[in-house]
Amino acid sequence: MGKITGFMEYERLEEGYKPVPERIKHYKEFVVGLDDGKAKIQAARCMDCGTPFCNSGCPVNNIIPDFNDLVFQGDWKNASTVLHSTNNFPEFTGRICPAPCEAACTLNVNDDAVGIKSIEHAIIDRAWAEDWVQPQPPRHKTGKKVAVVGSGPAGMAAAQQLARAGHDVTLFEKNDRIGGLLRYGIPDFKMEKSHIDRRVEQMTAEGVTFRTGVLVGAMDKDSKVTNWAKETISAEQLQKDFDAVVLTGGAEQSRDLPVPGRDLDGIHFAMEFLPQQNKVNAGDKVKAQLRADGKHVIVMGGGDTGSDCVGTSNRHGAASVTQFELMPQPPEEENRPMTWPYWPIKLRTSSSHEEGCVREFAISTKKFIGEKGKVTGLVTVHVEFKDGKFVEIAGTEKTHKADLVLLAMGFVSPVATVLDAFGLDKDGRGNAKASTDFAGGYATNVPKVFAAGDMRRGQSLVVWAIREGRQAARSVDEFLMGFSDLPR
């Protein structure tokens, strides 16, 4: 521990943002990270608390007190080594993770938590700048072949771990670039795609083969799920060609809003809207791109995806942006004694909200209205939760103007036809059914087929996807070799 009284002497230091008028003119990252001096002060606040709940609060179990101390001591290279020992891609989590580790920080009981995420961000950016992040090819090859299906964070983590164990890994992605939701869904202003590209280069040097534009299994023709595949490979062919198959696709089926007027033009899923902007930012030509320019935009859903729609709409130049949330407005401050070390319920205001957005809570949409087949507005009513269900509040019905409605109410399940192609059992929510028990973890009912990430657990965080990808890799390695040296 670097400074015994640091947590009493220093206040939490937040990362900065570039000014709103400047950043809404482009799609580049705008977070101003901590410099070495500020990172040292933030690391000095770590309490050496004896039982570091931050470790268990973090899904990948980052060894947080250790890398905090190393940053305080100025040993950035070893801090990077410790960070990478549990997390394959800290540049992803250091940018877009909501930091459950900070909610679990012991200092958070009665003070501001240590800025763990900002320290992680500083460590990995320093590591890339100093060229410390290098390929780790295996010393020996096993001769075993593994197919990983889905190139989001779970698939990338599983593929990297399995390649480092010496297996011949092929990573399949139905879209034209690697990254899954990180590539097509997370706006560039939250995470530029060069971070993915660097990891693809590293993984290629480690022996991973990438096959993009390949749909594994099947997908309905009328599906709204992003699919730019140019070829298809059957589940049977994969099972024939590979010694193990790991399914790591996302929970891509968006939750719909089946109310009158849903078929009007101008009502779209968020995942129709966001990926198009990612492609434009990559320099691709997109036909009939959905745009918010000069439009009154209403975003349905108060989570991260909804926030991303807000930020993108503001950059398009929307006339107005309003975000609806069915749940009541959370308190501005959490009840720490009641929730610590678990994730607290409190009002969270994102950088996109600060750029311009009206937020309405406890509101339900009754119907969409339109003219000549095009949405022009919607009718809402405020609700309250009674006896286990939402009840309309009399006298609160209202009509809102809307030229573009974006449905960002979460995701319900993976694409069912892909799971059906393999004959997988599903849980009650339509996810691939696979246990995480230590022995045979992540194995499905189909021999040599494993499932991990959102495809197995449902909609979740990037950090959970990385954890599951790593753990599934270990289970696959044990399945193939009888033992595994990979960390769990």
Side-chain angles (χ1 to χ4, degrees):
M1 181 178 178
K3 190 170 180 59
I4 296 175
T5 57
F7 70 94
M8 296 187 291
E9 297 177 27
Y10 303 123
E11 295 182 356
R12 177 183 170 99
L13 298 173
E14 300 286 354
E15 293 181 311
Y17 293 148
K18 292 181 180 178
V20 170
E22 174 185 338
R23 71 190 194 225
I24 62 171
K25 295 178 181 178
H26 59 75
Y27 292 88
K28 296 184 180 296
E29 292 179 11
F30 53 81
V31 173
V32 180
L34 303 182
D35 60 26
D36 289 5
K38 291 181 179 178
K40 180 176 181 176
I41 290 174
Q42 189 60 225
R45 300 183 70 240
C46 191
M47 300 174 66
D48 192 20
C49 54
T51 304
F53 287 93
C54 56
N55 286 20
S56 56
C58 171
V60 293
N61 303 122
N62 278 337
I63 312 170
I64 294 164
D66 292 42
F67 69 62
N68 281 345
D69 183 55
L70 289 165
V71 167
F72 179 81
Q73 301 295 343
D75 191 351
W76 289 83
K77 189 171 184 178
N78 276 323
S80 172
T81 299
V82 170
L83 180 55
H84 276 103
S85 70
T86 55
N87 186 352
N88 294 65
F89 314 117
E91 64 270 43
F92 302 166
T93 52
R95 285 170 167 80
I96 60 177
C97 182
C101 55
E102 294 186 13
C105 173
T106 301
L107 189 56
N108 194 50
V109 173
N110 61 355
D111 200 347
D112 293 328
V114 175
I116 300 166
K117 179 180 174 180
S118 63
I119 296 172
E120 178 179 344
H121 188 178
I123 292 170
I124 186 56
D125 281 8
R126 176 73 173 269
W128 280 110
E130 298 284 354
D131 206 26
W132 295 332
V133 183
Q134 295 293 325
Q136 300 177 37
R139 295 180 180 179
H140 307 285
K141 300 291 284 186
T142 66
K144 301 292 186 180
K145 297 170 63 178
V146 183
V148 180
V149 181
S151 72
M156 290 182 69
Q160 185 168 61
Q161 294 295 95
L162 287 165
R164 289 174 176 178
H167 306 303
D168 293 320
V169 181
T170 302
L171 182 54
F172 292 88
E173 168 57 50
K174 70 180 185 303
N175 293 320
D176 56 352
R177 294 180 176 89
I178 297 298
L181 187 66
L182 292 171
R183 175 77 66 175
Y184 293 122
I186 301 294
D188 291 50
F189 56 79
K190 287 179 68 175
M191 194 188 85
E192 294 177 15
K193 307 317 171 196
S194 59
H195 304 299
I196 305 173
D197 297 336
R198 289 190 299 196
R199 288 296 181 178
V200 170
E201 291 177 9
Q202 180 194 34
M203 292 168 65
T204 299
E206 293 171 343
V208 177
T209 298
F210 294 94
R211 290 191 61 185
T212 57
V214 181
L215 174 65
V216 174
M219 188 175 292
D220 293 334
K221 291 182 179 179
D222 59 351
S223 173
K224 297 295 186 180
V225 172
T226 305
N227 176 22
W228 295 310
K230 295 183 178 180
E231 61 178 297
T232 301
I233 186 170
S234 69
E236 292 79 11
Q237 191 65 47
L238 277 193
Q239 291 168 285
K240 177 182 177 182
D241 293 345
F242 292 89
D243 298 298
V245 178
V246 191
L247 303 180
T248 56
E252 298 180 276
Q253 200 66 50
S254 298
R255 180 174 283 107
D256 208 343
L257 186 61
V259 298
R262 171 62 179 89
D263 58 344
L264 289 167
D265 187 26
I267 305 170
H268 300 274
F269 290 119
M271 292 308 296
E272 296 177 78
F273 178 68
L274 295 173
Q276 290 189 358
Q277 187 59 54
N278 291 131
K279 286 190 73 68
V280 170
N281 292 345
D284 296 352
K285 292 183 179 180
V286 177
K287 295 180 180 179
Q289 186 197 2
L290 291 174
R291 298 284 301 182
D293 314 56
K295 296 179 180 178
H296 296 281
V297 180
I298 291 183
V299 179
M300 302 282 193
D304 289 339
T305 304
S307 173
D308 294 342
C309 290
V310 170
T312 302
S313 296
N314 280 324
R315 282 162 178 74
H316 282 184
S320 68
V321 183
T322 305
Q323 187 175 25
F324 290 166
E325 168 57 54
L326 179 65
M327 301 299 292
Q329 181 172 329
E332 293 192 8
E333 292 292 335
E334 72 270 37
N335 188 334
R336 294 184 182 183
M338 288 292 292
T339 58
W340 179 86
Y342 302 108
W343 186 248
I345 296 176
K346 68 175 182 179
L347 181 65
R348 302 175 194 278
T349 301
S350 73
S351 58
S352 292
H353 294 140
E354 294 170 351
E355 293 165 1
C357 175
V358 174
R359 303 168 74 183
E360 294 205 27
F361 295 87
I363 191 168
S364 176
T365 300
K366 299 191 70 173
K367 65 179 179 179
F368 296 106
I369 55 178
E371 296 178 2
K372 299 179 180 179
K374 180 81 170 69
V375 69
T376 58
L378 48 86
V379 178
T380 65
V381 64
H382 281 283
V383 294
E384 57 183 343
F385 199 68
K386 282 186 176 181
D387 300 324
K389 62 181 180 179
F390 287 101
V391 179
E392 295 183 4
I393 300 175
T396 62
E397 195 168 295
K398 182 179 178 181
T399 300
H400 305 257
K401 181 176 177 56
D403 306 306
L404 176 63
V405 178
L406 299 172
L407 306 181
M409 303 172 294
F411 304 88
V412 294
S413 68
V415 177
T417 50
V418 175
L419 302 183
D420 293 341
F422 284 90
L424 298 191
D425 288 343
K426 303 177 192 135
D427 65 18
R429 302 182 68 180
N431 304 313
K433 191 173 183 180
S435 171
T436 58
D437 291 341
F438 190 82
Y442 299 92
T444 69
N445 62 297
V446 178
K448 75 178 186 180
V449 177
F450 297 76
D454 286 8
M455 184 168 275
R456 189 204 70 83
R457 66 179 291 115
Q459 176 189 356
S460 192
L461 304 175
V462 167
V463 67
W464 271 108
I466 294 172
R467 171 199 173 102
E468 295 222 343
R470 287 170 61 89
Q471 291 190 341
R474 179 185 171 94
S475 289
V476 172
D477 192 32
E478 287 178 333
F479 166 74
L480 294 173
M481 306 304 294
F483 70 96
S484 179
D485 291 328
L486 289 174
R488 179 173 163 84

